[in-house]
Amino acid sequence: MIPIAPIFIKSKETLERLSLLLDEERLAYGELDSETIINLSEEKQTLLDEMNQLNEKRVNILIKFDVVDRKEPSEEDFKKWLSLQDSSMDEVRLLMKDCEALLKKCKTQNNTNARILNTLQKRNKHLYELLQGHSSKNKVYTARGSTRPISSKHTLGRA
């Protein structure tokens, strides 16, 4: 029997922690807590690194046991092999299904957080331009074809 169940168990735990972390990140965006956001980003990177290591370990085990091709290991080959196994691999099938569902959930959460962050960045940029006295309507083209704002003499900072 191939010892991959412990890897899937660890992957599931890591994905569950990542999902909780992504929820915390969304709340931190709502509270505009930059220190928490930075800390959560570091934790998120640590979890993603851990997931990469687990995946690498899983692929190496599958290669070692000749389940997937050494030169081009593919997830489809593994799934095909797994579907041909007897009921002794039911735990691995279930864990893999759980991991795939959690990964999909994490991707959705991460995309939601990215949209929130993008909205916050646009709002902050707009507020910054207002403080400088710039307006998105008051822009001119430079010699290179890009645009730059026209500075106003009535900026909030000078008022």
Side-chain angles (χ1 to χ4, degrees):
M1 182 143 157
I2 298 175
I4 54 173
I7 295 172
F8 277 110
I9 291 169
K10 186 69 174 155
S11 294
K12 183 179 175 183
E13 291 170 357
T14 303
L15 287 168
E16 287 169 341
R17 288 193 338 246
L18 181 61
S19 179
L20 292 172
L21 194 77
L22 289 165
D23 285 339
E24 288 179 42
E25 184 181 55
R26 189 179 66 250
L27 292 173
Y29 286 148
E31 296 169 1
L32 302 175
D33 186 350
S34 60
E35 188 174 324
T36 302
I37 292 168
I38 291 169
N39 291 336
L40 290 172
S41 294
E42 291 169 357
E43 286 182 53
K44 187 165 65 168
Q45 186 59 52
T46 302
L47 290 175
L48 292 173
D49 291 342
E50 186 177 325
M51 281 302 299
N52 283 333
Q53 289 173 349
L54 288 168
N55 192 46
E56 233 177 84
K57 190 175 182 180
R58 180 179 63 91
V59 169
N60 288 336
I61 288 173
L62 294 174
I63 289 171
K64 180 180 176 182
F65 285 89
D66 289 326
V67 173
V68 295
D69 183 32
R70 186 172 299 279
K71 293 179 182 169
E72 288 186 46
S74 81
E75 196 69 24
E76 291 306 313
D77 288 344
F78 170 63
K79 286 180 180 179
K80 208 179 290 180
W81 174 85
L82 189 59
S83 69
L84 299 173
Q85 302 308 304
D86 61 13
S87 61
S88 66
M89 295 297 278
D90 283 348
E91 180 189 12
V92 173
R93 285 187 195 95
L94 184 60
L95 285 167
M96 187 171 150
K97 196 174 194 178
D98 290 347
C99 285
E100 286 176 341
L102 280 166
L103 182 61
K104 186 176 180 182
K105 180 182 177 186
C106 287
K107 285 181 179 180
T108 301
Q109 289 173 297
N110 196 54
N111 287 337
T112 300
N113 290 355
R115 286 194 305 273
I116 292 169
L117 181 60
N118 187 26
T119 301
L120 289 172
Q121 287 174 333
K122 284 181 183 177
R123 186 192 75 189
N124 287 344
K125 181 181 178 195
H126 178 72
L127 291 173
Y128 180 69
E129 286 177 351
L130 283 175
L131 285 172
Q132 287 184 318
H134 300 271
S135 168
S136 58
K137 295 176 185 173
N138 298 335
K139 292 189 176 185
V140 294
Y141 285 99
T142 64
R144 295 183 178 203
S146 61
T147 59
R148 67 174 172 83
I150 300 173
S151 190
S152 171
K153 291 180 181 170
H154 304 290
T155 63
L156 204 53
R158 292 183 184 163

